Amino acid sequence: MAVLKAGRELHVEITGAKLAPLLYLADLDAIESGRTRFSGAAWRWDGHGPYDHTLIRAAEWILENEPAERRDSADMEYGSYVFSLTTDIDDPLSPVDMDCVRAMIQLHGGRSEADLSDLSHETAPIAEAYAAGERGALLDLNRTRRRRQADALRERFRARREARPPQDDPGVGDALRSEFLETRDSLRRANAKILGDR
């Protein structure tokens, strides 16, 4: 309902094939912003993009209860159909979550279905599932947040490393080599014991 409301407000046609990727991207954006996903979907990758079977049931419920209609659209890709609200409704989500949905529709709603599919494939959760060949696997949306945190940490480390003056301490390598040679037999025995070798 939130995607359909935002689509109506922004004059963007929401096809059946666009609905899941747009909602998935909004969920992902919420997680990247430090919030939780709001759709309630258990996102999986099916080889084409993100999906959750409950979206089909939700769409059927919306159509049966008549706050929305579905019509065929010959000019859309793959002979798709368009969902549209028949009545104006209140925001079904919190203001912050509705802002997230509106931002996704504004940013990506005008893309083709194929472009949205490609865009969703570039996200970290689907890229990882694709690389592992895990069709039907639950997507870990938190992976995106962890990747961003790791990237930020890496950038901070690079900046600090470049800002540090070069360290030149002759003899350090010799001291480390000497220490390693002195403890080599002890390390070998400890490793053998840990690994169960005799």
Side-chain angles (χ1 to χ4, degrees):
M1 294 294 284
V3 172
L4 296 183
K5 179 173 173 59
R8 178 178 177 165
E9 292 170 354
L10 298 167
H11 309 289
V12 173
E13 284 193 334
I14 305 297
T15 66
K18 283 183 169 186
L19 183 61
L22 287 169
L23 190 55
Y24 165 79
L25 291 170
D27 262 353
L28 204 56
D29 185 64
I31 287 174
E32 288 175 357
S33 301
R35 301 189 324 274
T36 57
R37 62 180 172 200
F38 50 79
S39 72
W43 294 110
R44 295 178 183 275
W45 171 66
D46 70 349
H48 300 289
Y51 81 97
D52 182 347
H53 290 299
T54 58
L55 291 178
I56 296 168
R57 290 191 293 277
E60 289 171 357
W61 180 89
I62 291 169
L63 293 170
E64 287 171 7
N65 290 285
E66 300 181 0
E69 65 182 3
R70 178 175 63 195
R71 62 183 165 77
D72 292 331
S73 179
D75 60 325
M76 294 309 249
E77 298 173 50
Y78 316 120
S80 190
Y81 50 86
V82 176
F83 281 119
S84 58
L85 288 176
T86 56
T87 59
D88 195 20
I89 60 169
D90 292 334
D91 286 354
L93 299 173
S94 71
V96 106
D97 290 336
M98 276 306 298
D99 287 346
C100 180
V101 171
R102 287 182 179 105
M104 280 303 113
I105 302 298
Q106 181 77 39
L107 192 60
H108 303 299
R111 291 179 181 237
S112 69
E113 294 166 354
D115 283 348
L116 274 175
S117 177
D118 291 344
L119 181 64
S120 64
H121 274 83
E122 293 170 9
T123 63
I126 291 182
E128 180 164 299
Y130 177 78
E134 297 175 346
R135 183 173 288 207
L138 273 173
L139 299 175
D140 181 5
L141 271 60
N142 288 318
R143 183 170 313 286
T144 301
R145 184 187 304 165
R146 290 193 296 271
R147 179 182 277 184
R148 280 195 169 188
Q149 290 169 341
D151 289 345
L153 185 62
R154 193 170 23 256
E155 286 305 313
R156 281 199 311 267
F157 174 75
R158 283 186 186 136
R160 286 185 182 159
R161 184 181 60 191
E162 291 171 6
R164 272 190 352 214
Q167 297 187 4
D168 187 25
D169 188 0
V172 170
D174 293 335
L176 286 173
R177 189 178 308 109
S178 171
E179 185 179 331
F180 171 75
L181 291 173
E182 288 174 13
T183 60
R184 181 172 48 185
D185 290 335
S186 299
L187 289 170
R188 186 178 297 130
R189 284 193 304 274
N191 285 336
K193 188 173 184 177
I194 290 170
L195 297 172
D197 297 338
R198 299 270 173 186

